[in-house]
Amino acid sequence: MCIIISSATDRYDLAHLYLENHKATLRHYKVSGISSISSSWKYNPNAQMVIAICPDSNEMLGAVRLEIFGGTERLPMVEALKSIGHEVDYFVSELAVNKGLAELCGLWCKPGNSAKDLPKKLIKAALEYAKKINISHIIGFANEYSLPTVQNLGFTHVDNLENEGIFCYPTKQYKTYVVHYSNAEDKKAVLELETVSNSYS
């Protein structure tokens, strides 16, 4: 397996295959209503794709995106939770002020590949790339099944938002947590930010 990292606008061919495979995977699991499935990210230069390819067949096995704050699109999390309340918007804005924010989103793996630790490998590759491009903060959604995996990689549950950062998304059967990752050197800034957010709410 090899990992390819590219902006969506630099490799439109890969972006198209990414989206088609993501849709097919969601159909396989009968999941709908996910904001990151929109095709608009393909035209956003701030959408960075992390893609796993089988070197023998060139088959796309799985992928995830880093959508960097400040691009042509709102972050998928903000779009998904826009009707719920103001605290997610506030949290995202404050993190963006503290330098370098992106959302980890659009994770999919072809059926059968999740058991091979592919989701973990993709997320680790995305985190390593984020450091290289000076992204200090990464937010995302994690369901009950993926939460232990992302926590093992350094993400923490953001519990100072509406509903303690727990939402039913994309449908009522999925309990989803807002999670946040920061580079070690930014831990003090994150603690200060959490204090501000708590006093705001």
Side-chain angles (χ1 to χ4, degrees):
M1 182 191 75
C2 63
I3 299 288
I4 296 174
I5 300 177
S6 172
S7 70
T9 52
D10 285 345
R11 290 296 307 269
Y12 183 77
D13 57 329
L14 289 180
H16 177 72
L17 284 173
Y18 179 129
L19 183 60
E20 292 307 305
N21 278 282
H22 191 187
K23 288 179 179 178
T25 302
L26 291 174
R27 284 196 299 269
H28 175 82
Y29 291 110
K30 299 180 180 178
V31 176
S32 60
I34 292 181
S35 60
S36 63
I37 200 63
S38 162
S39 63
S40 59
W41 63 265
K42 294 194 297 181
Y43 312 101
N44 181 1
N46 277 21
Q48 304 293 318
M49 306 178 295
V50 181
I51 302 170
I53 300 283
C54 175
D56 297 327
S57 63
N58 283 328
E59 179 187 12
M60 197 176 284
L61 302 176
V64 71
R65 291 196 312 278
L66 276 173
E67 294 208 16
I68 302 169
F69 180 88
T72 58
E73 302 289 321
R74 295 209 303 176
L75 293 183
M77 178 182 293
V78 175
E79 185 66 23
L81 301 181
K82 63 184 177 183
S83 64
I84 293 176
H86 63 268
E87 289 181 14
V88 170
D89 263 325
Y90 178 77
F91 178 67
V92 167
S93 298
E94 286 297 305
L95 284 178
V97 167
N98 275 276
K99 179 192 171 188
L101 169 66
E103 180 174 345
L104 190 73
C105 60
L107 173 66
W108 64 269
C109 293
K110 282 200 168 178
N113 284 283
S114 295
K116 301 174 185 176
D117 263 351
L118 185 54
K120 186 175 182 179
K121 290 173 183 175
L122 286 167
I123 294 170
K124 283 182 72 173
L127 295 180
E128 289 169 7
Y129 179 67
K131 287 183 181 179
K132 291 180 182 178
I133 60 172
N134 297 317
I135 296 297
S136 299
H137 300 284
I138 301 172
I139 58 173
F141 283 131
N143 59 33
E144 293 176 279
Y145 307 103
S146 62
L147 185 62
T149 297
V150 298
Q151 286 178 325
N152 285 337
L153 292 172
F155 283 84
T156 56
H157 170 214
V158 182
D159 59 4
N160 57 343
L161 302 175
E162 290 97 344
N163 248 5
E164 298 183 343
I166 304 172
F167 304 94
C168 290
Y169 174 81
T171 64
K172 289 183 179 180
Q173 73 182 94
Y174 293 98
K175 189 176 182 180
T176 304
Y177 300 78
V178 174
V179 293
H180 170 242
Y181 174 91
S182 69
N183 294 327
E185 59 267 27
D186 295 310
K187 292 297 184 185
K188 182 179 178 183
V190 172
L191 289 173
E192 291 171 353
L193 174 63
E194 288 176 349
T195 300
V196 171
S197 290
N198 279 321
S199 63
Y200 179 83
S201 57

